Each structure stands twice: as structure tokens, then as C-alpha cells.
């Protein structure tokens, strides 16, 4: 995975984390030189997981543990794991014990092909923040029922840019989203390649 780490003066990009006697996403992390970094997860500002990560339940639990430990995370990208998410895996990823304690601004969960049932497990995670700059749920199988659930979430979370391209949402689902309490905060709504919307 790619982990971006902030220090006091600048943002450093760490392309590779070398693991010596550790689990992937484990507690003890090392940099390219093999130097131990105890608080790397606490200082991460962006975590991007590769496409086709081939996740299983154990890996989802480990990633969920990482997320629960983050303090400065602003961007999370878990995009392109088509059809690999089951409901129990999403629960492991996004329902950590206790509240999340990081200033998330951008969440990209596009192209994972999960549907409305899986979306319901993500919504409590979204409700952990009062506002997000960007949420992508592109390329999933979200239908009008999912759009209604998302609209209910928008009643409590202000999202500025929402991307729902390539789902199964019709005009009815779009209407639910646009009539939500915080729809007025949307500066961009991308919804192409859905049912009868276009």
C-alpha cells in the first residue's frame, strides 16, 4: 500500500514499507532503510490501497485496526476491489470499537461493486464526520434503496463533492438525494451512467 506521512515541516511520501517480522498493516513498521517507525500509522495523512488487493476477512480486520489507530488521516482510497467485499469484511473494515479520531476529508470507495446491503455497513462510518470534501461510490451496485439510505446519511453529514457514477440509481433515487437536508452543501454531484439518468 502507499502511505503518506506528515512530519512537522512537510508531507513525506513513503512508497514502500518494509516489513521484518510483522504482519501487513501491523503495529511495528519499518521504512525503506529498515528503521523502525513506531508512530507511522498515527501520522499518516493519506492511505491508498492498490487495486485488486485480494482482501480476506483477516486482512480487513488488520486494516480496520490501522484505521482505528489513525490520528491525522485525511484521505482514504480503497478503490477497485471488484466483487471482493462481503458484508462481514466491510464490518471489519469500518466498524472499529470507539469513535474515529482523525480529520477525514476524502473517501474513495469506488469500483468495488458492492450493493445497497454492503452500503448499509459503511454508513455508520460516514456518520462519524460532520462533513466530507469528497465521497466516491462510483462503479458499485447501489440502487434507489441505497440512494435513499445515502440521502438519510446526508441529513447528518455535509458532503461537498459526491460521485455516484456507474451505479443503478434512477431519477427516483436522485430525487431522494437532492431532497436531503444537507443537499444544499453539494457543490458537485456526479451521477452519469445510471439507470434512466444517463
Amino acid at each position: 500500500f502507499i502511505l503518506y506521512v506528515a512530519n512537522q515541516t512537510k508531507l513525506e511520501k513513503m512508497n514502500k514499507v518494509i516489513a521484518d517480522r510483522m504482519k501487513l498493516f501491523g503495529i511495528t513498521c519499518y521504512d525503506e532503510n529498515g528503521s523502525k517507525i513506531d508512530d507511522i500509522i498515527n501520522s499518516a495523512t493519506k492511505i491508498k490501497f492498490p487495486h485488486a488487493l485480494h482482501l480476506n476477512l483477516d486482512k480487513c480486520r488488520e486494516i480496520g485496526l490501522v484505521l482505528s489507530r489513525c490520528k491525522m488521516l485525511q484521505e482514504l482510497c480503497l478503490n477497485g476491489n471488484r466483487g471482493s467485499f462481503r458484508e462481514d469484511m466491510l464490518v471489519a473494515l469500518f466498524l472499529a470499537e470507539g469513535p474515529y479520531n482523525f480529520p477525514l476529508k476524502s473517501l474513495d470507495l469506488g469500483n468495488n461493486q458492492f450493493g445497497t446491503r454492503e452500503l448499509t455497513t459503511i454508513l455508520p462510518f460516514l456518520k462519524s464526520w460532520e462533513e466530507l470534501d469528497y465521497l466516491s461510490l462510483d462503479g458499485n451496485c447501489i440502487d434507489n434503496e441505497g440512494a435513499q439510505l445515502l440521502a438519510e446519511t446526508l441529513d447528518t453529514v455535509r458532503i461537498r463533492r459526491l460521485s455516484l457514477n456507474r451505479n443503478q440509481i434512477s431519477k427516483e433515487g436522485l430525487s431522494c438525494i437532492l431532497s436531503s437536508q444537507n443537499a444544499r452543501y453539494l457543490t458537485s454531484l456526479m451521477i452519469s451512467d445510471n439507470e434512466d439518468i444517463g
Side-chain angles (χ1 to χ4, degrees), residues 50-183:
H51 297 294
L53 192 55
H54 304 297
L55 293 172
N56 59 33
L57 184 56
D58 288 337
K59 284 183 182 177
C60 287
R61 286 183 180 131
E62 291 175 14
I63 295 169
L65 176 63
V66 167
L67 292 177
S68 70
R69 293 178 56 227
C70 287
K71 302 291 183 206
M72 298 174 64
L73 186 64
Q74 295 179 30
E75 295 181 47
L76 176 60
C77 179
L78 189 55
N79 181 312
N81 291 281
R82 295 181 178 273
S84 63
F85 284 118
R86 298 186 320 262
E87 189 175 1
D88 60 341
M89 294 166 71
L90 289 167
V91 168
L93 274 172
F94 295 116
L95 295 182
E97 293 180 16
Y100 291 96
N101 190 24
F102 50 86
L104 190 69
K105 298 295 178 193
S106 174
L107 179 61
D108 185 349
L109 296 174
N111 302 304
N112 290 308
Q113 291 186 336
F114 54 72
T116 297
R117 181 175 174 173
E118 291 83 8
L119 179 65
T120 60
T121 64
I122 297 166
L123 295 179
F125 178 78
L126 290 178
K127 291 177 181 179
S128 298
W129 291 274
E130 291 182 8
E131 73 179 62
L132 288 173
D133 287 335
Y134 178 69
L135 172 63
S136 173
L137 293 168
D138 291 341
N140 288 301
C141 301
I142 299 168
D143 57 15
N144 287 339
E145 181 184 352
Q148 173 65 45
L149 294 169
L150 189 57
E152 292 169 11
T153 300
L154 285 173
D155 286 340
T156 58
V157 182
R158 294 185 301 271
I159 298 175
R160 287 192 171 79
R161 294 178 296 137
L162 176 61
S163 191
L164 296 168
N165 299 317
R166 299 180 313 283
N167 278 287
Q168 300 168 3
I169 300 169
S170 71
K171 290 178 183 175
E172 178 186 339
L174 176 59
S175 177
C176 290
I177 290 169
L178 293 177
S179 60
S180 66
Q181 182 176 324
N182 286 327

